[in-house]
Amino acid sequence: MGQQLLSKMENWQELEQKLFMRTAKRLPVTLVRGQGARVWDAEGKEYLDFVGGWAVNSLGHCHPVIVRALTEQAQLLIQASNQFYTVPQVQLAELLVAKSCLDRVFFCNSGAEANEGAVKLARRYGKLHLGGAYEIITARESFHGRTLAMVAATGQDKFQEPYIPLPNGFVNVNYNDIETIKAATSTQTCAVMVEPIQGEGGVNVPDDNYLKKIRAWCNEKGILLVLDEIQTGIGRTGTLFAYEQFGVEPDIMALAKGLGSGVPIGALLAEERASVFAPGEHGSTFGGNPLVCMTSLAALKFIIDNEIPEKVRQVGQYFVGGLEKLKARFEFIAEVRGRGLLLALGFTSDIAEELVLACLEKGLLVNQVKPNALRFMPPLIITERDVDEALGILGEVFSRRL
Ligand SMILES: *Cc1c(COP(=O)(O)O)cnc(C)c1O
């Protein structure tokens, strides 16, 4: 690499400071290349990636199946508009419907957009079947995205306060407490929307019967259950969809993140009864474009054909075993939580930021999900050796704190 290019690279971070709106608090690393569960920075330093593009790169970086689908489709048809039929979106819809409990699909480009669609669909249902009910009950500590309406749905003050007044029609109640949902339900309620496991809220796993209780309550009241599986879906928690582990079926489900294994795609799924959009009531210019749909189809097929969810369960259990051993060694570890490869370590004090930086130095990328918790969301294809390596680095970093 030429000297000129290298010296330019060293300035990326400075340039970013000048050019970008200050929304992201980034770590001092510029990533330029990835392969499997590894990434490399501009100086050539290698990292084991347990952030995985934020629970996105299901098959790791630059998986040959992804690269092939992307490059082949790029030479065929990239974007066509939804005024016309295109093939990859129908194939992807067919597979999603075949492998889920839902009947119909709408494609968009991100998680927030999928949730927006879910909320609009639930409101249409309320208008048509529930006497105009429009309120949606969501949980505190949830995360549903960054659009104005999704900020209102997201039950966290830090996301809401800067934007008050917020769109109305959202009631935030305590997570993992069915009584708060019952108390908040009124004749205006059209749906309950929750994450099966809260991701951004800190990897919070509810009691086994929480979702079942919500399902029963929704049935009793005739309102819809919307599951935000944007982070938990597509094998992340050890089944293709997390709802399978909790013994419930949603009426509406939002997907994104891992669905495209790196390409931006969101999807909204609903059962027939709840699929009440009429032509023109919802839409997206880029949604369902052949490029991302073909790539997502290749990723999803690979995940299903290679029984990746089952492997996630196994390697996740192995990882939890190692984390539990660390917990036994270090008093400042309070808790190991999560399912599959959506895991977190909770600490007795706010040390996560310093741990992230120490791991970074040792070549391990991890996420500070809370001031007192680290989150692990590696590619679903990691091996026990990768886990051993990560555990080794965590052990070293924790030892230095003693
Ligand atoms: C990431 C996430 C979103 C938002 O997805 P974007 O693609 O960033 O809009 C919504 N819900 C959950 C559960 C998420 O984890």
Side-chain angles (χ1 to χ4, degrees), residues 91-103 105 234 239-244 249 253 255 269 300-301 303-305 307 309:
Q91 291 178 306
L92 180 58
E94 192 179 23
L95 189 55
L96 282 170
V97 165
K99 295 296 171 183
S100 74
C101 61
L102 300 163
D103 305 310
V105 179
I234 316 297
T239 45
L240 195 57
F241 305 106
Y243 69 72
E244 298 169 51
E249 293 188 347
M253 172 168 71
L255 299 172
L269 285 85
L300 187 59
K301 266 191 187 154
I303 286 168
I304 292 166
D305 293 348
E307 294 173 345

PDB file of all heavy atoms in Angstrom, residues 91-103 105 234 239-244 249 253 255 269 300-301 303-305 307 309:
ATOM      1  N   GLN A  91     -39.150 -15.271  -3.695  1.00  0.00           N
ATOM      2  CA  GLN A  91     -38.473 -16.464  -3.158  1.00  0.00           C
ATOM      3  C   GLN A  91     -38.181 -16.307  -1.671  1.00  0.00           C
ATOM      4  O   GLN A  91     -38.361 -17.238  -0.887  1.00  0.00           O
ATOM      5  CB  GLN A  91     -37.161 -16.698  -3.925  1.00  0.00           C
ATOM      6  CG  GLN A  91     -37.375 -17.126  -5.359  1.00  0.00           C
ATOM      7  CD  GLN A  91     -36.049 -17.299  -6.082  1.00  0.00           C
ATOM      8  OE1 GLN A  91     -35.222 -16.387  -6.110  1.00  0.00           O
ATOM      9  NE2 GLN A  91     -35.841 -18.460  -6.658  1.00  0.00           N
ATOM     10  N   LEU A  92     -37.742 -15.110  -1.290  1.00  0.00           N
ATOM     11  CA  LEU A  92     -37.433 -14.873   0.124  1.00  0.00           C
ATOM     12  C   LEU A  92     -38.720 -14.918   0.953  1.00  0.00           C
ATOM     13  O   LEU A  92     -38.755 -15.506   2.042  1.00  0.00           O
ATOM     14  CB  LEU A  92     -36.722 -13.516   0.289  1.00  0.00           C
ATOM     15  CG  LEU A  92     -36.336 -13.133   1.717  1.00  0.00           C
ATOM     16  CD1 LEU A  92     -35.427 -14.179   2.364  1.00  0.00           C
ATOM     17  CD2 LEU A  92     -35.663 -11.750   1.752  1.00  0.00           C
ATOM     18  N   ALA A  93     -39.783 -14.323   0.431  1.00  0.00           N
ATOM     19  CA  ALA A  93     -41.067 -14.352   1.130  1.00  0.00           C
ATOM     20  C   ALA A  93     -41.545 -15.793   1.317  1.00  0.00           C
ATOM     21  O   ALA A  93     -42.017 -16.169   2.402  1.00  0.00           O
ATOM     22  CB  ALA A  93     -42.102 -13.547   0.347  1.00  0.00           C
ATOM     23  N   GLU A  94     -41.383 -16.600   0.273  1.00  0.00           N
ATOM     24  CA  GLU A  94     -41.829 -17.992   0.325  1.00  0.00           C
ATOM     25  C   GLU A  94     -41.108 -18.745   1.447  1.00  0.00           C
ATOM     26  O   GLU A  94     -41.719 -19.483   2.223  1.00  0.00           O
ATOM     27  CB  GLU A  94     -41.539 -18.641  -1.035  1.00  0.00           C
ATOM     28  CG  GLU A  94     -42.189 -19.980  -1.235  1.00  0.00           C
ATOM     29  CD  GLU A  94     -41.883 -20.553  -2.614  1.00  0.00           C
ATOM     30  OE1 GLU A  94     -40.860 -20.163  -3.236  1.00  0.00           O
ATOM     31  OE2 GLU A  94     -42.668 -21.408  -3.065  1.00  0.00           O
ATOM     32  N   LEU A  95     -39.790 -18.511   1.550  1.00  0.00           N
ATOM     33  CA  LEU A  95     -39.012 -19.216   2.570  1.00  0.00           C
ATOM     34  C   LEU A  95     -39.380 -18.722   3.976  1.00  0.00           C
ATOM     35  O   LEU A  95     -39.522 -19.521   4.909  1.00  0.00           O
ATOM     36  CB  LEU A  95     -37.510 -19.021   2.293  1.00  0.00           C
ATOM     37  CG  LEU A  95     -36.555 -19.864   3.123  1.00  0.00           C
ATOM     38  CD1 LEU A  95     -36.874 -21.355   2.998  1.00  0.00           C
ATOM     39  CD2 LEU A  95     -35.102 -19.607   2.716  1.00  0.00           C
ATOM     40  N   LEU A  96     -39.548 -17.414   4.131  1.00  0.00           N
ATOM     41  CA  LEU A  96     -39.906 -16.865   5.451  1.00  0.00           C
ATOM     42  C   LEU A  96     -41.272 -17.376   5.905  1.00  0.00           C
ATOM     43  O   LEU A  96     -41.453 -17.739   7.071  1.00  0.00           O
ATOM     44  CB  LEU A  96     -39.904 -15.326   5.412  1.00  0.00           C
ATOM     45  CG  LEU A  96     -38.529 -14.661   5.461  1.00  0.00           C
ATOM     46  CD1 LEU A  96     -38.644 -13.164   5.176  1.00  0.00           C
ATOM     47  CD2 LEU A  96     -37.855 -14.884   6.822  1.00  0.00           C
ATOM     48  N   VAL A  97     -42.216 -17.423   4.976  1.00  0.00           N
ATOM     49  CA  VAL A  97     -43.557 -17.904   5.320  1.00  0.00           C
ATOM     50  C   VAL A  97     -43.506 -19.406   5.641  1.00  0.00           C
ATOM     51  O   VAL A  97     -44.127 -19.870   6.593  1.00  0.00           O
ATOM     52  CB  VAL A  97     -44.554 -17.591   4.181  1.00  0.00           C
ATOM     53  CG1 VAL A  97     -45.849 -18.380   4.338  1.00  0.00           C
ATOM     54  CG2 VAL A  97     -44.843 -16.089   4.148  1.00  0.00           C
ATOM     55  N   ALA A  98     -42.716 -20.150   4.865  1.00  0.00           N
ATOM     56  CA  ALA A  98     -42.614 -21.597   5.099  1.00  0.00           C
ATOM     57  C   ALA A  98     -42.007 -21.898   6.459  1.00  0.00           C
ATOM     58  O   ALA A  98     -42.386 -22.861   7.128  1.00  0.00           O
ATOM     59  CB  ALA A  98     -41.777 -22.244   3.993  1.00  0.00           C
ATOM     60  N   LYS A  99     -41.062 -21.070   6.907  1.00  0.00           N
ATOM     61  CA  LYS A  99     -40.321 -21.379   8.136  1.00  0.00           C
ATOM     62  C   LYS A  99     -40.850 -20.656   9.366  1.00  0.00           C
ATOM     63  O   LYS A  99     -40.341 -20.865  10.475  1.00  0.00           O
ATOM     64  CB  LYS A  99     -38.833 -21.024   7.939  1.00  0.00           C
ATOM     65  CG  LYS A  99     -38.143 -21.853   6.892  1.00  0.00           C
ATOM     66  CD  LYS A  99     -38.105 -23.326   7.296  1.00  0.00           C
ATOM     67  CE  LYS A  99     -37.609 -24.202   6.154  1.00  0.00           C
ATOM     68  NZ  LYS A  99     -37.632 -25.640   6.507  1.00  0.00           N
ATOM     69  N   SER A 100     -41.854 -19.792   9.203  1.00  0.00           N
ATOM     70  CA  SER A 100     -42.415 -19.090  10.361  1.00  0.00           C
ATOM     71  C   SER A 100     -43.890 -19.457  10.502  1.00  0.00           C
ATOM     72  O   SER A 100     -44.443 -20.186   9.686  1.00  0.00           O
ATOM     73  CB  SER A 100     -42.282 -17.572  10.172  1.00  0.00           C
ATOM     74  OG  SER A 100     -43.215 -17.117   9.210  1.00  0.00           O
ATOM     75  N   CYS A 101     -44.527 -18.925  11.527  1.00  0.00           N
ATOM     76  CA  CYS A 101     -45.949 -19.193  11.752  1.00  0.00           C
ATOM     77  C   CYS A 101     -46.817 -18.174  11.012  1.00  0.00           C
ATOM     78  O   CYS A 101     -48.024 -18.150  11.212  1.00  0.00           O
ATOM     79  CB  CYS A 101     -46.227 -19.141  13.249  1.00  0.00           C
ATOM     80  SG  CYS A 101     -45.873 -17.532  13.978  1.00  0.00           S
ATOM     81  N   LEU A 102     -46.204 -17.310  10.191  1.00  0.00           N
ATOM     82  CA  LEU A 102     -46.949 -16.203   9.593  1.00  0.00           C
ATOM     83  C   LEU A 102     -47.185 -16.418   8.099  1.00  0.00           C
ATOM     84  O   LEU A 102     -46.579 -17.304   7.491  1.00  0.00           O
ATOM     85  CB  LEU A 102     -46.216 -14.891   9.890  1.00  0.00           C
ATOM     86  CG  LEU A 102     -46.121 -14.699  11.425  1.00  0.00           C
ATOM     87  CD1 LEU A 102     -45.080 -13.674  11.803  1.00  0.00           C
ATOM     88  CD2 LEU A 102     -47.475 -14.344  12.002  1.00  0.00           C
ATOM     89  N   ASP A 103     -48.082 -15.613   7.545  1.00  0.00           N
ATOM     90  CA  ASP A 103     -48.593 -15.910   6.205  1.00  0.00           C
ATOM     91  C   ASP A 103     -48.180 -14.925   5.118  1.00  0.00           C
ATOM     92  O   ASP A 103     -48.156 -15.281   3.947  1.00  0.00           O
ATOM     93  CB  ASP A 103     -50.131 -15.926   6.230  1.00  0.00           C
ATOM     94  CG  ASP A 103     -50.660 -16.892   7.265  1.00  0.00           C
ATOM     95  OD1 ASP A 103     -50.199 -18.053   7.269  1.00  0.00           O
ATOM     96  OD2 ASP A 103     -51.507 -16.489   8.087  1.00  0.00           O
ATOM     97  N   VAL A 105     -45.846 -11.185   3.933  1.00  0.00           N
ATOM     98  CA  VAL A 105     -44.593 -10.461   4.157  1.00  0.00           C
ATOM     99  C   VAL A 105     -44.649  -9.082   3.498  1.00  0.00           C
ATOM    100  O   VAL A 105     -45.275  -8.914   2.456  1.00  0.00           O
ATOM    101  CB  VAL A 105     -43.410 -11.248   3.528  1.00  0.00           C
ATOM    102  CG1 VAL A 105     -42.093 -10.516   3.721  1.00  0.00           C
ATOM    103  CG2 VAL A 105     -43.322 -12.644   4.111  1.00  0.00           C
ATOM    104  N   ILE A 234     -33.770 -15.032  13.308  1.00  0.00           N
ATOM    105  CA  ILE A 234     -32.826 -15.617  12.340  1.00  0.00           C
ATOM    106  C   ILE A 234     -31.667 -16.331  13.045  1.00  0.00           C
ATOM    107  O   ILE A 234     -30.489 -16.130  12.736  1.00  0.00           O
ATOM    108  CB  ILE A 234     -32.320 -14.567  11.324  1.00  0.00           C
ATOM    109  CG1 ILE A 234     -33.461 -13.688  10.810  1.00  0.00           C
ATOM    110  CG2 ILE A 234     -31.632 -15.229  10.133  1.00  0.00           C
ATOM    111  CD1 ILE A 234     -34.551 -14.421  10.032  1.00  0.00           C
ATOM    112  N   THR A 239     -32.919 -20.724  18.067  1.00  0.00           N
ATOM    113  CA  THR A 239     -33.985 -21.245  17.192  1.00  0.00           C
ATOM    114  C   THR A 239     -34.133 -20.192  16.098  1.00  0.00           C
ATOM    115  O   THR A 239     -33.699 -19.050  16.286  1.00  0.00           O
ATOM    116  CB  THR A 239     -35.324 -21.406  17.937  1.00  0.00           C
ATOM    117  OG1 THR A 239     -35.574 -20.240  18.729  1.00  0.00           O
ATOM    118  CG2 THR A 239     -35.308 -22.633  18.844  1.00  0.00           C
ATOM    119  N   LEU A 240     -34.761 -20.564  14.974  1.00  0.00           N
ATOM    120  CA  LEU A 240     -34.825 -19.599  13.881  1.00  0.00           C
ATOM    121  C   LEU A 240     -35.480 -18.305  14.363  1.00  0.00           C
ATOM    122  O   LEU A 240     -35.001 -17.204  14.075  1.00  0.00           O
ATOM    123  CB  LEU A 240     -35.578 -20.184  12.676  1.00  0.00           C
ATOM    124  CG  LEU A 240     -35.397 -19.419  11.370  1.00  0.00           C
ATOM    125  CD1 LEU A 240     -33.924 -19.304  10.959  1.00  0.00           C
ATOM    126  CD2 LEU A 240     -36.204 -20.052  10.249  1.00  0.00           C
ATOM    127  N   PHE A 241     -36.569 -18.460  15.137  1.00  0.00           N
ATOM    128  CA  PHE A 241     -37.199 -17.299  15.771  1.00  0.00           C
ATOM    129  C   PHE A 241     -37.273 -17.558  17.268  1.00  0.00           C
ATOM    130  O   PHE A 241     -37.498 -18.692  17.685  1.00  0.00           O
ATOM    131  CB  PHE A 241     -38.598 -17.070  15.180  1.00  0.00           C
ATOM    132  CG  PHE A 241     -38.584 -16.945  13.684  1.00  0.00           C
ATOM    133  CD1 PHE A 241     -39.055 -17.976  12.887  1.00  0.00           C
ATOM    134  CD2 PHE A 241     -38.069 -15.807  13.071  1.00  0.00           C
ATOM    135  CE1 PHE A 241     -39.004 -17.884  11.498  1.00  0.00           C
ATOM    136  CE2 PHE A 241     -38.017 -15.706  11.684  1.00  0.00           C
ATOM    137  CZ  PHE A 241     -38.479 -16.744  10.900  1.00  0.00           C
ATOM    138  N   ALA A 242     -37.112 -16.520  18.057  1.00  0.00           N
ATOM    139  CA  ALA A 242     -37.099 -16.713  19.514  1.00  0.00           C
ATOM    140  C   ALA A 242     -38.459 -17.158  20.034  1.00  0.00           C
ATOM    141  O   ALA A 242     -38.538 -17.864  21.040  1.00  0.00           O
ATOM    142  CB  ALA A 242     -36.658 -15.425  20.208  1.00  0.00           C
ATOM    143  N   TYR A 243     -39.553 -16.767  19.337  1.00  0.00           N
ATOM    144  CA  TYR A 243     -40.879 -17.125  19.857  1.00  0.00           C
ATOM    145  C   TYR A 243     -41.031 -18.636  20.017  1.00  0.00           C
ATOM    146  O   TYR A 243     -41.776 -19.106  20.868  1.00  0.00           O
ATOM    147  CB  TYR A 243     -42.006 -16.525  18.988  1.00  0.00           C
ATOM    148  CG  TYR A 243     -42.167 -17.093  17.598  1.00  0.00           C
ATOM    149  CD1 TYR A 243     -42.685 -18.377  17.393  1.00  0.00           C
ATOM    150  CD2 TYR A 243     -41.834 -16.347  16.475  1.00  0.00           C
ATOM    151  CE1 TYR A 243     -42.845 -18.900  16.116  1.00  0.00           C
ATOM    152  CE2 TYR A 243     -41.995 -16.844  15.193  1.00  0.00           C
ATOM    153  CZ  TYR A 243     -42.501 -18.135  15.015  1.00  0.00           C
ATOM    154  OH  TYR A 243     -42.651 -18.648  13.756  1.00  0.00           O
ATOM    155  N   GLU A 244     -40.301 -19.418  19.192  1.00  0.00           N
ATOM    156  CA  GLU A 244     -40.395 -20.877  19.261  1.00  0.00           C
ATOM    157  C   GLU A 244     -40.017 -21.385  20.649  1.00  0.00           C
ATOM    158  O   GLU A 244     -40.545 -22.381  21.125  1.00  0.00           O
ATOM    159  CB  GLU A 244     -39.467 -21.518  18.226  1.00  0.00           C
ATOM    160  CG  GLU A 244     -39.809 -21.164  16.788  1.00  0.00           C
ATOM    161  CD  GLU A 244     -38.714 -21.585  15.815  1.00  0.00           C
ATOM    162  OE1 GLU A 244     -38.284 -22.752  15.842  1.00  0.00           O
ATOM    163  OE2 GLU A 244     -38.268 -20.712  15.028  1.00  0.00           O
ATOM    164  N   GLU A 249     -47.076 -17.878  19.379  1.00  0.00           N
ATOM    165  CA  GLU A 249     -46.998 -17.422  17.993  1.00  0.00           C
ATOM    166  C   GLU A 249     -47.532 -16.002  17.926  1.00  0.00           C
ATOM    167  O   GLU A 249     -48.637 -15.734  18.396  1.00  0.00           O
ATOM    168  CB  GLU A 249     -47.816 -18.355  17.092  1.00  0.00           C
ATOM    169  CG  GLU A 249     -47.209 -19.755  17.015  1.00  0.00           C
ATOM    170  CD  GLU A 249     -47.870 -20.655  15.977  1.00  0.00           C
ATOM    171  OE1 GLU A 249     -48.949 -20.280  15.483  1.00  0.00           O
ATOM    172  OE2 GLU A 249     -47.296 -21.711  15.668  1.00  0.00           O
ATOM    173  N   MET A 253     -44.787  -9.879  13.186  1.00  0.00           N
ATOM    174  CA  MET A 253     -43.382  -9.978  13.607  1.00  0.00           C
ATOM    175  C   MET A 253     -42.514  -9.072  12.738  1.00  0.00           C
ATOM    176  O   MET A 253     -42.710  -9.003  11.517  1.00  0.00           O
ATOM    177  CB  MET A 253     -42.909 -11.424  13.484  1.00  0.00           C
ATOM    178  CG  MET A 253     -41.412 -11.627  13.719  1.00  0.00           C
ATOM    179  SD  MET A 253     -40.956 -13.371  13.910  1.00  0.00           S
ATOM    180  CE  MET A 253     -41.163 -13.968  12.233  1.00  0.00           C
ATOM    181  N   LEU A 255     -38.596  -8.215  11.511  1.00  0.00           N
ATOM    182  CA  LEU A 255     -37.238  -8.761  11.374  1.00  0.00           C
ATOM    183  C   LEU A 255     -36.339  -7.719  10.728  1.00  0.00           C
ATOM    184  O   LEU A 255     -36.806  -6.836  10.009  1.00  0.00           O
ATOM    185  CB  LEU A 255     -37.245 -10.000  10.474  1.00  0.00           C
ATOM    186  CG  LEU A 255     -38.060 -11.210  10.911  1.00  0.00           C
ATOM    187  CD1 LEU A 255     -38.083 -12.254   9.797  1.00  0.00           C
ATOM    188  CD2 LEU A 255     -37.481 -11.815  12.190  1.00  0.00           C
ATOM    189  N   LEU A 269     -43.849  -9.362   8.984  1.00  0.00           N
ATOM    190  CA  LEU A 269     -44.650 -10.539   8.670  1.00  0.00           C
ATOM    191  C   LEU A 269     -45.930 -10.499   9.487  1.00  0.00           C
ATOM    192  O   LEU A 269     -45.922  -9.994  10.613  1.00  0.00           O
ATOM    193  CB  LEU A 269     -43.894 -11.835   8.993  1.00  0.00           C
ATOM    194  CG  LEU A 269     -42.782 -12.238   8.017  1.00  0.00           C
ATOM    195  CD1 LEU A 269     -41.480 -11.543   8.358  1.00  0.00           C
ATOM    196  CD2 LEU A 269     -42.581 -13.746   8.027  1.00  0.00           C
ATOM    197  N   LEU A 300     -30.348 -16.898   4.432  1.00  0.00           N
ATOM    198  CA  LEU A 300     -31.372 -17.643   5.158  1.00  0.00           C
ATOM    199  C   LEU A 300     -31.336 -19.128   4.793  1.00  0.00           C
ATOM    200  O   LEU A 300     -31.440 -19.996   5.664  1.00  0.00           O
ATOM    201  CB  LEU A 300     -32.748 -17.043   4.856  1.00  0.00           C
ATOM    202  CG  LEU A 300     -33.920 -17.585   5.667  1.00  0.00           C
ATOM    203  CD1 LEU A 300     -33.705 -17.383   7.158  1.00  0.00           C
ATOM    204  CD2 LEU A 300     -35.233 -16.912   5.233  1.00  0.00           C
ATOM    205  N   LYS A 301     -31.150 -19.421   3.497  1.00  0.00           N
ATOM    206  CA  LYS A 301     -31.048 -20.814   3.053  1.00  0.00           C
ATOM    207  C   LYS A 301     -29.869 -21.492   3.734  1.00  0.00           C
ATOM    208  O   LYS A 301     -29.983 -22.614   4.226  1.00  0.00           O
ATOM    209  CB  LYS A 301     -30.822 -20.863   1.539  1.00  0.00           C
ATOM    210  CG  LYS A 301     -32.085 -21.026   0.728  1.00  0.00           C
ATOM    211  CD  LYS A 301     -31.667 -21.341  -0.704  1.00  0.00           C
ATOM    212  CE  LYS A 301     -32.859 -21.360  -1.639  1.00  0.00           C
ATOM    213  NZ  LYS A 301     -32.437 -21.032  -3.018  1.00  0.00           N
ATOM    214  N   ILE A 303     -28.430 -20.709   6.522  1.00  0.00           N
ATOM    215  CA  ILE A 303     -28.701 -20.857   7.962  1.00  0.00           C
ATOM    216  C   ILE A 303     -29.616 -22.049   8.216  1.00  0.00           C
ATOM    217  O   ILE A 303     -29.386 -22.837   9.137  1.00  0.00           O
ATOM    218  CB  ILE A 303     -29.302 -19.538   8.517  1.00  0.00           C
ATOM    219  CG1 ILE A 303     -28.195 -18.492   8.630  1.00  0.00           C
ATOM    220  CG2 ILE A 303     -30.002 -19.758   9.859  1.00  0.00           C
ATOM    221  CD1 ILE A 303     -28.679 -17.081   8.884  1.00  0.00           C
ATOM    222  N   ILE A 304     -30.609 -22.224   7.369  1.00  0.00           N
ATOM    223  CA  ILE A 304     -31.553 -23.333   7.539  1.00  0.00           C
ATOM    224  C   ILE A 304     -30.902 -24.657   7.131  1.00  0.00           C
ATOM    225  O   ILE A 304     -30.919 -25.629   7.882  1.00  0.00           O
ATOM    226  CB  ILE A 304     -32.839 -23.071   6.734  1.00  0.00           C
ATOM    227  CG1 ILE A 304     -33.595 -21.885   7.366  1.00  0.00           C
ATOM    228  CG2 ILE A 304     -33.718 -24.311   6.679  1.00  0.00           C
ATOM    229  CD1 ILE A 304     -34.685 -21.305   6.492  1.00  0.00           C
ATOM    230  N   ASP A 305     -30.280 -24.694   5.949  1.00  0.00           N
ATOM    231  CA  ASP A 305     -29.708 -25.945   5.438  1.00  0.00           C
ATOM    232  C   ASP A 305     -28.584 -26.476   6.320  1.00  0.00           C
ATOM    233  O   ASP A 305     -28.366 -27.682   6.409  1.00  0.00           O
ATOM    234  CB  ASP A 305     -29.160 -25.751   4.010  1.00  0.00           C
ATOM    235  CG  ASP A 305     -30.271 -25.483   3.011  1.00  0.00           C
ATOM    236  OD1 ASP A 305     -31.452 -25.678   3.382  1.00  0.00           O
ATOM    237  OD2 ASP A 305     -29.968 -25.057   1.879  1.00  0.00           O
ATOM    238  N   GLU A 307     -28.354 -26.001   9.569  1.00  0.00           N
ATOM    239  CA  GLU A 307     -28.830 -26.082  10.959  1.00  0.00           C
ATOM    240  C   GLU A 307     -28.048 -25.164  11.892  1.00  0.00           C
ATOM    241  O   GLU A 307     -27.637 -25.546  12.984  1.00  0.00           O
ATOM    242  CB  GLU A 307     -28.781 -27.542  11.440  1.00  0.00           C
ATOM    243  CG  GLU A 307     -29.774 -28.379  10.670  1.00  0.00           C
ATOM    244  CD  GLU A 307     -29.689 -29.870  10.956  1.00  0.00           C
ATOM    245  OE1 GLU A 307     -28.679 -30.303  11.548  1.00  0.00           O
ATOM    246  OE2 GLU A 307     -30.625 -30.583  10.576  1.00  0.00           O
ATOM    247  N   PRO A 309     -29.103 -22.598  13.678  1.00  0.00           N
ATOM    248  CA  PRO A 309     -29.682 -22.355  15.017  1.00  0.00           C
ATOM    249  C   PRO A 309     -29.267 -23.412  16.044  1.00  0.00           C
ATOM    250  O   PRO A 309     -28.963 -23.083  17.193  1.00  0.00           O
ATOM    251  CB  PRO A 309     -31.195 -22.379  14.762  1.00  0.00           C
ATOM    252  CG  PRO A 309     -31.328 -21.918  13.344  1.00  0.00           C
ATOM    253  CD  PRO A 309     -30.150 -22.523  12.621  1.00  0.00           C
TER     254      PRO A 309
END
